[in-house]
């Protein structure tokens, strides 16, 4: 499973942060997205259906959706008060919040119907009987006052109190009247508390229904937020449960945004995996890591019930997703980076052993050791995943001799197709941005015999690294 | 006693120079007068640091008394300290050490304990909420702290209350009170550069030069500036920085945002007044009155008439026109 740092690094956090949520219930769902397990495939499908329905509603029925959103915005988290209903007497402010919630339900339930959507697991229902308890006068005003109607004694105390206040105002007050006033105020407070206790006991019968409404609001809010984000970015609902794992025209909005700031464009990535090892080779700076992160992001989004940033996507139900890269949370734990990577790899192997279907992504595996042994380690990993029938794996590497073991081989074109003459001319400027203009970030399927391109020296030159160094490179 | 003085003042703040300055007496008097005229009042206070410990050590009953209909913004934890019948109108979500600030309507007469927001933005929000619940006028229980003079950005009128508890020496008290009163009475600057957003801006020959420090503006100041406009706190060290420029500022107006940003002592202020063309503020407030309480909580009472006369005299010398009233008449 991906750790917090990786979730942020691949852009998953970006997606949840950019999902606009209107209620604390929806925000909570987005804070801890749920990875649907194989046995929850039906629930995932329901969530996807809900998003489809809501995407349709947003596009066809925008005004009604906006009206619903306006009703969602002021919703507060009152679950603690609801849960407390059976245990203690709520304060007037808590009862105010409960009443407001009940009033919100009265408006929300019919508004949701207007969208004409069929949403699984989302049932927002008005609760007029509970509202009658808390608002026996039927004013339906958004304030809360313990009604006279709830207690004859309360009503009598208040009437007497009013008389005394009137008397005090007329006469300018006296010691005696003050004492009576204080006594009446205390009696009212006591009776008020008793009435509230009684009210809470009656409301306790509606606890489950209140909590279910709160949960439904959360699910609606979350699905609507995801649907709106999908429309905004042209994301699609993936087909989960397919026989193949294929993403066409994938993007990574977090990286795309960073590139756009520099006036550059994200080049969409397409990948089709088979069980066993798929290898990506390519130049330094050519976007291998970006491809791995983008796949990790979209696979994770798919399994957490989000739309994916791709033109088309299908994948089997994955039990787990692993990513081994420099961005691990344990990267600073005291082991050398090589030692840490190997321990993490070992942990991943053991954890995936008896899973049904897993996706394993290795970014520049074994980069921390010498190229001779490093290449051997990566080849071993490729053999291992070829032998395991439960794993889809992608290995990004620039070591030699790995691709020939791959079930499928993708390559980042890099500088291969760049016009060498104009590249040389540009090299004088020596900036990474100039280099980026010549770099082909596209990912192409190639034959397993194709060796990784040798662009390191070209890239060093294009970056304008000092001649004092480059003229000493002895393979020129 | 106050009603004819507060016409046109929608938001009125009562600010005490110290504890036991008689602020509560003034507030109650205002409440009673306004309510007798049929006004719906909104009430809140400026939250203070350490308010909670005050309440623990000082177990006195709340003393602010309202009639049915008043709207009160206070911390939820303070509702039980009062004894009105309450209708909860809003839970604002604004936090205080005593719980979130809620807005309630008094459904009976009774005592209330006020505990409001300590952040200016929140205070403005509460004031606006109170008006949105139909209040004709909002009264704010204010306080002077070491950090700030409180409410000028919030209120359009101020009553300043001083009492013998401030200092055993009646002369010191009168001077300090007059100084604060003077800050509240500074004229409003109407020249150019009022919209500047930098720490300091110099206006010279119709041009506005903005900068982050006085030093950066020295070339402009040397050429003769009509005004120097300061954003944010104006402290003794700001004053010192200005005085270091020597006689360059004798034709320059010094402008601060509002009186609450003036955190300098009387001496520094006086010096600046002599070395410059004068002091003005971007947002003014109206000083309605100064009230005096000759009784000290610490035992060293003043003679009533003497205190009042001394304050009146100090105000006159400071050029502040505002009535001085003894709280026992309030």
């Amino acid at each position: 499973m991906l750790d917090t740092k990786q979730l942020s690094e691949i852009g998953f956090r970006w997606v949840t942060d950019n999902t606009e949520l209107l209620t604390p219930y929806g925000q909570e769902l987005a804070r801890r997205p749920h990875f649907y397990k194989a046995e929850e495939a039906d629930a995932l499908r329901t969530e996807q259906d809900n998003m489809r329905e809501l995407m349709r509603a947003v596009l066809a029925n925008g005004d009604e959706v906006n009206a619903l959103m306006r009703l969602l915005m002021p919703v507060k988290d009152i679950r603690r008060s609801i849960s407390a209903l059976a245990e203690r007497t709520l304060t007037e402010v808590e009862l105010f919040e409960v009443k407001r919630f009940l009033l919100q339900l009265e408006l929300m339930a019919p508004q949701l119907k207007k969208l004409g959507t069929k949403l699984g697991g989302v049932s927002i229902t008005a609760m007029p009987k509970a509202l009658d308890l808390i608002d026996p006068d039927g004013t339906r005003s958004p304030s809360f006052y313990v009604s006279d109607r709830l207690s004859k004694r309360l009503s009598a105390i208040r009437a007497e109190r009013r008389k005394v206040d009137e008397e005090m105002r007329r006469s300018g007050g006296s010691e005696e009247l003050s004492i009576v006033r204080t006594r009446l105020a205390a009696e009212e407070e006591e009776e008020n508390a008793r009435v509230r206790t009684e009210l809470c006991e009656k409301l306790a019968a509606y606890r489950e229904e209140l909590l279910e409404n709160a949960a439904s609001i959360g699910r609606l809010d979350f699905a609507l937020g995801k649907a709106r984000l999908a429309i905004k970015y042209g994301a699609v609902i993936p087909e989960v449960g397919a026989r193949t794992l294929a993403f066409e025209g994938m993007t990574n909005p977090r990286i795309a945004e960073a590139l756009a700031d520099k006036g550059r464009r994200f080049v969409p990535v397409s990948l089709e995996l088979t069980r066993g090892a798929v290898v990506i080779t390519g130049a330094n700076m050519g976007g291998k890591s970006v491809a791995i992160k983008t796949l990790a992001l979209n696979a994770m989004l798919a399994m957490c019930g989000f739309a994916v940033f791709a033109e088309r996507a299908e994948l089997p139900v994955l039990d787990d997703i692993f990513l081994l890269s420099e961005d691990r949370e344990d990267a600073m734990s005291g082991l050398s980076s090589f030692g840490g990577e190997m321990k993490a790899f070992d942990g991943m192997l053991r954890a995936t052993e008896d899973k049904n279907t897993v996706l394993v992504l290795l970014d520049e595996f074994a980069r921390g050791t010498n190229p001779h042994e490093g290449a051997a380690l990566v080849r071993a990993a490729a053999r291992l995943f070829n032998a395991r029938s439960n794993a889809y794996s992608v290995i990004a590497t620039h070591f030699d001799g790995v691709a020939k073991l791959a079930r499928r081989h993708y390559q980042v074109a890099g500088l291969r197709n760049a016009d060498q003459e104009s590249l040389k001319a540009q090299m004088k400027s020596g900036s990474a941005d100039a280099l980026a203009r010549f770099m082909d970030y596209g990912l192409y399927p190639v034959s397993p015999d194709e060796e990784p391109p040798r662009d390191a020296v070209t890239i060093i030159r294009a970056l304008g690294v000092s001649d004092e160094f480059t003229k000493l490179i002895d393979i020129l | 006693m106050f009603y004819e003085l507060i016409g046109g003042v929608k938001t009125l703040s009562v600010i005490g120079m110290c504890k036991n300055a008689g602020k509560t007496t003034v507030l109650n008097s205002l409440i009673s007068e306004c309510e007798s005229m049929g006004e719906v009042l909104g009430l809140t206070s400026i939250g203070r640091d350490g308010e909670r410990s005050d309440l623990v050590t000082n177990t006195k009953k709340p003393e602010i008394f309202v009639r049915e209909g008043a709207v009160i913004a206070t911390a939820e934890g303070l509702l039980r300290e009062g004894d009105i019948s309450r209708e909860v109108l809003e839970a604002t979500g604004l936090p205080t050490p005593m719980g979130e600030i809620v807005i309630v309507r008094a459904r009976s007469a009774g005592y209330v304990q006020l505990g409001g927001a300590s952040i200016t933005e929140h205070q403005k929000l509460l004031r606006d909420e109170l008006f949105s619940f139909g209040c004709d006028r909002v009264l704010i229980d204010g306080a002077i702290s070491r950090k700030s003079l409180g409410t000028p950005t919030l209120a359009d009128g101020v009553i300043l209350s001083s009492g013998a508890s401030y200092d055993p020496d009646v002369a010191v008290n009168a001077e300090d009170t007059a100084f604060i009163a003077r800050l509240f009475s500074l004229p409003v600057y109407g020249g150019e550069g009022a919209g500047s957003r930098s720490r300091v801006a110099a206006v010279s020959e119709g041009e506005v030069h903005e900068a982050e420090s006085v030093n950066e503006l020295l070339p402009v100041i040397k050429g003769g500036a009509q005004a120097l406009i300061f954003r944010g706190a104006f402290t003794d060290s700001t004053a010192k920085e200005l005085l270091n420029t020597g006689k360059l500022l004798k034709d320059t107006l010094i402008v601060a945002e509002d009186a609450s940003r003036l955190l300098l002592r009387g001496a520094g202020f006086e010096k600046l007044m002599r070395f410059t063309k004068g002091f003005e503020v971007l947002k003014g407030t109206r000083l309605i009155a100064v009230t005096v309480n000759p009784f000290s909580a610490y035992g060293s009472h003043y003679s009533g008439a003497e205190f009042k006369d001394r304050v009146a005299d100090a105000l006159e010398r400071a050029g502040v026109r505002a009535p001085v009233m003894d709280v026992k008449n309030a």
Side-chain angles (χ1 to χ4, degrees):
Chain A
M1 196 44 69
L2 306 185
D3 63 39
T4 318
K5 190 170 173 217
Q6 289 178 318
L7 286 177
S8 155
E9 202 54 44
I10 64 172
F12 191 84
R13 209 30 79 198
W14 185 96
V15 175
T16 52
D17 287 350
N18 282 276
T19 305
E20 197 187 335
L21 297 158
L22 307 168
T23 70
Y25 308 116
Q27 282 151 10
E28 187 180 86
L29 291 176
R31 244 191 326 270
R32 269 167 289 168
H34 180 69
F35 190 103
Y36 288 87
K37 298 273 177 295
E39 62 270 23
E40 296 167 316
D42 285 345
L44 174 56
R45 219 156 288 133
T46 304
E47 182 68 17
Q48 291 187 331
D49 288 343
N50 286 354
M51 282 164 62
R52 270 190 210 98
E53 287 278 300
L54 288 166
M55 284 169 81
R56 207 165 351 193
V58 170
L59 295 172
N61 229 343
D63 289 347
E64 299 296 353
V65 173
N66 285 340
L68 179 65
M69 285 168 61
R70 275 194 294 278
L71 295 175
L72 287 171
M73 267 188 285
V75 169
K76 288 194 186 176
D77 188 355
I78 60 156
R79 281 172 300 185
R80 206 193 296 200
S81 301
I82 299 173
S83 302
L85 270 172
E87 292 144 24
R88 61 174 172 83
T89 303
L90 300 195
T91 67
E92 285 154 299
V93 176
E94 286 170 320
L95 283 166
F96 162 81
E97 304 273 24
V98 172
K99 179 178 174 188
R100 182 159 286 194
F101 185 69
L102 288 166
L103 289 170
Q104 285 163 343
L105 292 177
E106 300 273 308
L107 299 174
M108 241 182 271
Q111 185 59 37
L112 179 57
K113 281 215 180 72
K114 279 190 199 162
L115 301 191
T117 49
K118 278 195 214 88
L119 303 178
V122 175
S123 93
I124 295 174
T125 48
M127 301 174 62
K129 280 184 183 150
L131 194 52
D132 281 341
L133 289 175
I134 209 165
D135 180 27
D137 306 307
T139 65
R140 299 302 188 248
S141 78
S143 66
F144 176 75
Y145 181 57
V146 179
S147 165
D148 281 7
R149 206 182 272 243
L150 291 174
S151 153
K152 282 205 176 96
R153 185 169 134 74
L154 187 64
S155 161
I157 296 168
R158 283 173 175 168
E160 204 181 335
R161 207 178 152 177
R162 212 161 288 133
K163 247 188 278 170
V164 174
D165 283 338
E166 190 53 44
E167 176 66 32
M168 282 182 83
R169 197 150 56 229
R170 223 184 9 248
S171 66
S174 68
E175 186 89 353
E176 207 172 307
L177 279 172
S178 278
I179 292 169
V180 176
R181 202 199 74 81
T182 309
R183 177 178 58 78
L184 287 170
E187 279 177 22
E188 179 180 345
E189 191 70 56
E190 195 182 310
E191 181 61 9
N192 177 317
R194 197 195 60 75
V195 173
R196 274 185 287 123
T197 307
E198 224 171 67
L199 177 59
C200 289
E201 280 162 5
K202 286 181 192 151
L203 282 172
Y206 296 92
R207 228 161 45 134
E208 292 307 316
E209 204 178 330
L210 283 164
L211 288 173
E212 183 42 46
N213 267 312
S216 280
I217 289 171
R219 287 192 283 266
L220 170 66
D221 184 22
F222 189 40
L224 180 59
K226 289 188 294 181
R228 290 174 63 236
L229 187 80
I231 291 171
K232 186 172 169 189
Y233 286 89
V236 300
I237 312 273
E239 189 197 333
V240 180
R243 284 168 179 276
T244 51
L245 198 162
F247 286 87
E248 257 173 51
M250 265 192 294
T251 60
N252 185 318
R254 187 183 83 98
I255 298 173
E257 203 177 67
L259 286 174
D261 286 345
K262 294 188 207 151
R264 286 165 54 191
R265 204 177 61 83
F266 188 96
V267 179
V269 177
S270 298
L271 274 171
E272 188 173 341
L273 309 192
T274 56
R275 288 184 194 254
V278 169
V279 172
I280 302 179
T281 58
N284 298 79
M285 300 181 70
K288 295 193 296 294
S289 292
V290 168
I292 291 265
K293 279 178 185 153
T294 302
L295 178 58
L297 168 68
N298 285 297
M300 192 70 193
L301 287 173
M303 292 316 298
C304 291
F306 282 78
V308 297
F309 294 81
E311 282 158 22
R312 199 185 65 81
E314 55 179 43
L315 66 162
V317 175
L318 298 173
D319 295 295
D320 216 335
I321 297 171
F322 284 91
L323 170 62
L324 204 55
S325 67
E326 264 186 327
D327 308 313
R328 292 189 326 278
E329 221 160 44
D330 66 355
M332 303 296 273
S333 68
L335 284 169
S336 70
S337 67
F338 179 71
E341 186 186 25
M342 289 306 132
K343 288 296 283 180
F345 183 62
D346 177 58
M348 183 271 295
L349 283 183
R350 289 167 200 277
T352 52
E353 206 165 19
D354 48 10
K355 301 236 167 158
N356 213 12
T357 311
V358 294
L359 174 63
V360 178
L361 305 169
L362 305 183
D363 187 10
E364 301 283 11
F365 183 58
R367 86 189 76 193
T369 189
N370 64 76
H372 177 67
E373 286 180 286
L377 296 181
V378 180
R379 285 195 299 269
R383 286 189 195 103
L384 184 142
F385 290 118
N386 283 339
R388 272 199 183 180
S389 61
N390 70 343
Y392 288 85
S393 74
V394 180
I395 304 174
T397 185
H398 51 231
F399 287 145
D400 288 341
V402 181
K404 63 177 187 292
L405 297 171
R407 293 270 161 85
R408 243 172 236 268
H409 181 198
Y410 285 90
Q411 196 158 70
V412 179
L415 297 174
R416 175 168 302 170
N417 305 322
D419 176 41
Q420 296 299 318
E421 285 309 306
S422 30
L423 177 60
K424 260 179 207 149
Q426 269 294 329
M427 275 181 189
K428 297 204 172 76
S429 79
S431 88
D433 282 347
L435 180 64
R437 271 202 295 279
F438 290 93
M439 200 55 102
D440 180 349
Y441 292 97
L443 201 57
Y444 302 99
V446 292
S447 138
D449 300 324
E450 193 95 28
E451 282 300 336
R454 313 219 176 261
D455 303 359
V457 176
T458 316
I459 288 168
I460 285 174
R461 287 197 166 156
L463 287 172
V465 175
S466 158
D467 274 348
E468 187 189 355
F469 168 63
T470 46
K471 71 182 180 205
L472 296 175
I473 300 172
D474 57 15
I475 55 169
L476 292 179
Chain B
M1 166 172 181
F2 295 106
Y3 200 75
E4 57 276 22
L5 300 174
I6 58 172
V9 178
K10 296 284 281 178
T11 307
L12 175 60
S13 181
V14 181
I15 295 178
M17 291 283 291
C18 57
K19 288 209 169 126
N20 299 299
K23 199 173 55 170
T24 307
T25 315
V26 172
L27 271 170
N28 275 331
S29 172
L30 279 165
I31 292 167
S32 159
E33 282 187 78
C34 293
E35 287 183 335
S36 305
M37 299 304 286
E39 288 187 17
V40 175
L41 284 185
L43 291 164
T44 189
S45 79
I46 300 297
R48 286 146 288 204
D49 302 337
E51 194 156 32
R52 171 144 226 155
S53 62
D54 271 15
L55 285 167
V56 175
T57 51
N58 180 4
T59 51
K60 250 191 313 183
K61 284 253 179 254
E63 292 165 323
I64 290 173
F65 191 85
V66 299
R67 282 193 205 172
E68 183 175 349
V71 184
I72 297 111
T74 190
E76 187 186 356
L78 295 178
L79 287 180
R80 269 161 293 140
E81 308 279 329
D83 64 8
I84 52 167
S85 317
R86 349 160 245 269
E87 175 183 1
V88 181
L89 300 178
E90 185 62 276
T92 64
L94 302 176
T96 81
M98 292 147 298
E100 82 176 296
I101 295 171
V102 296
I103 297 178
V104 298
R105 176 175 281 130
R107 297 285 294 252
S108 76
Y111 289 102
V112 293
Q113 180 82 284
L114 299 178
S118 51
I119 297 168
T120 313
E121 281 315 303
H122 294 175
Q123 291 158 1
K124 284 184 182 159
L125 215 88
L126 288 180
R127 176 197 61 192
D128 297 346
E129 285 257 12
L130 288 171
F131 281 120
S132 80
F133 283 113
C135 293
D136 299 309
R137 200 192 300 265
V138 170
L139 302 183
I140 298 169
D141 181 350
I144 291 181
S145 74
R146 275 180 296 117
K147 282 193 225 132
S148 135
L149 286 181
T151 48
T153 47
L154 202 62
D156 34 33
V158 165
I159 292 177
L160 182 64
S161 297
S162 185
S165 303
Y166 177 78
D167 193 292
D169 185 340
V170 66
V172 170
N173 193 340
E175 291 307 319
D176 286 1
T177 303
F179 171 59
I180 299 293
R182 188 173 177 187
L183 297 185
F184 281 129
S185 317
L186 290 173
V188 174
Y189 175 73
E192 278 169 275
S196 66
R197 283 279 160 263
S198 310
R199 166 74 183 134
V200 52
V203 183
S204 172
E205 285 165 10
E207 269 192 64
V208 182
H209 309 262
E210 301 200 23
E212 288 311 307
S213 75
V214 174
N215 259 344
E216 287 173 54
L217 290 172
L218 271 181
V220 185
I221 295 172
K222 275 183 188 145
Q226 289 123 293
L228 276 182
I229 302 163
F230 288 85
R231 291 276 162 192
F234 193 104
T235 62
D236 277 325
S237 64
T238 320
K240 212 170 144 195
E241 210 179 341
L242 290 178
L243 292 169
N244 283 343
T245 63
K247 292 181 181 163
L248 293 172
L249 295 170
K250 63 181 184 343
D251 295 319
T252 307
L253 267 177
I254 307 300
V255 184
E257 273 189 80
D258 61 57
S260 73
R261 306 299 176 137
L262 294 170
L263 309 175
L264 74 175
R265 273 178 298 231
F269 181 79
E270 291 302 338
K271 249 192 202 161
L272 264 186
M273 289 297 276
R274 279 198 304 279
F275 278 88
T276 65
K277 200 177 166 193
F279 232 106
E280 296 191 348
V281 286
L282 293 175
K283 180 170 186 322
T285 183
R286 210 166 108 197
L287 181 66
I288 308 291
V290 178
T291 69
V292 293
N293 176 16
F295 292 94
S296 165
Y298 310 109
S300 44
H301 310 307
Y302 303 152
S303 103
E306 187 196 359
F307 187 27
K308 189 179 161 191
D309 291 346
R310 286 234 189 198
V311 170
D313 182 49
L315 287 178
E316 203 181 312
R317 275 185 283 111
V320 177
R321 288 161 181 274
V324 182
M325 301 169 169
D326 194 320
V327 283
K328 75 168 185 283
N329 300 323

